[in-house]
Every structure is written in C-alpha cells, then in structure tokens.
Amino acid sequence: MEQAGEGATTGGAKAVGAAAVGAAAIGPCAAIPAEHMAFIREVLDRVGDKWSLLLIAVLEPGPLRYTDLQRQVPGISQRMLTLTLRQLRQDGLITRTAYAEVPPRVEYALTPLGHGLHEIATSLVGWAAAHHDEIRENRARTASAQPSSGR
C-alpha cells in the first residue's frame, strides 16, 4: 500500500508529503506555519469583508450608535450591520456598550486591536474610491469581449 508522500517526484512538484500540504515555500505565507493558515484565511475573510472594512473606517473617530453606523455606511442592511457588528465584536475588534438609560443607548467603538486595522481599512477604501472608474471600465471591456452565451 502506497503512503502519502511516496512518489513525490511523480508529476513534478505537485505531489508532496502530508506534512507539507498547505505550506508555502516562498512568499508572504512561507513564514506562517501550515497549521495556522486555515485560521488566518478565516480572519482575512472576516476583516477583508466590505462591510467590516467600512465599519472599521467609520468607527475611528470614536463611538457611534447603531443608527449612526447605518447612516455612515450607505447600502448596509440592518441584518448585515447586526451580523457584521457581532462578528467584529467576537473577534475583539470592536466593543459594544449598553447604557441603562431611557430610551436605551448602545454604542460601538474600536478596540486597540481594531484601531490597528484602521489605517489598512481606510487605505483599501481610499484605493477603491480612487480607482473605481478604471475598474468599472475594465469590467465593461471584459464583459463586452466575452462571447454571449445562449445565442
């Protein structure tokens, strides 16, 4: 019976031992242990989400209430705002403070960990804003160059 990793030269660099699966040999991922990569991808997926980036960017000046966040992040639904705030809080990027007042008041603020992402988030948002026309043109050009399906 052949074990994983045997015949590693068959097919060139494609076949690797089980211990090396998922490990990068070069590039930025090479310094990250293979056993951490799945979690790191999960974190990048969370903080790289469009709503997360926008919320981190708007929370920099200070705490905001839910309705203020809704106003400052156009297009976000109540469901997505609630879900994204919950996820950011779960990861320790924001805090939720409920005040015992009538009417009740709840504020969201960046934690020190969240502040560490602010510059990255605003850079990405700024880059997208600065290049949206160029990207839109590239998408239109690519779409018009593709043959129509079903005709």
Side-chain angles (χ1 to χ4, degrees), residues 12-121:
K14 286 176 150 179
V16 293
V21 172
I26 60 171
C29 296
I32 301 168
E35 64 270 18
H36 296 176
M37 283 308 299
F39 187 74
I40 289 170
R41 285 191 302 270
E42 188 180 304
V43 171
L44 290 172
D45 186 45
R46 170 85 44 92
V47 299
D49 168 78
K50 64 183 173 186
W51 300 124
S52 295
L53 287 171
L54 292 169
L55 288 169
I56 289 166
V58 302
L59 281 169
E60 174 61 21
L64 290 172
R65 296 174 80 161
Y66 186 93
T67 54
D68 296 327
L69 289 169
Q70 259 188 321
R71 279 193 285 272
Q72 290 193 34
V73 181
I76 193 167
S77 67
Q78 284 186 334
R79 179 185 174 280
M80 281 311 300
L81 179 55
T82 300
L83 177 65
T84 305
L85 289 170
R86 185 178 304 129
Q87 290 173 336
L88 291 173
R89 187 169 168 230
Q90 178 185 12
D91 285 347
L93 299 171
I94 65 168
T95 59
R96 178 185 185 273
T97 305
Y99 297 92
E101 299 175 350
V102 178
R105 178 172 55 112
V106 176
E107 291 182 338
Y108 297 89
L110 290 177
T111 63
L113 188 61
H115 278 285
L117 272 176
H118 176 259
E119 187 176 327
I120 296 165

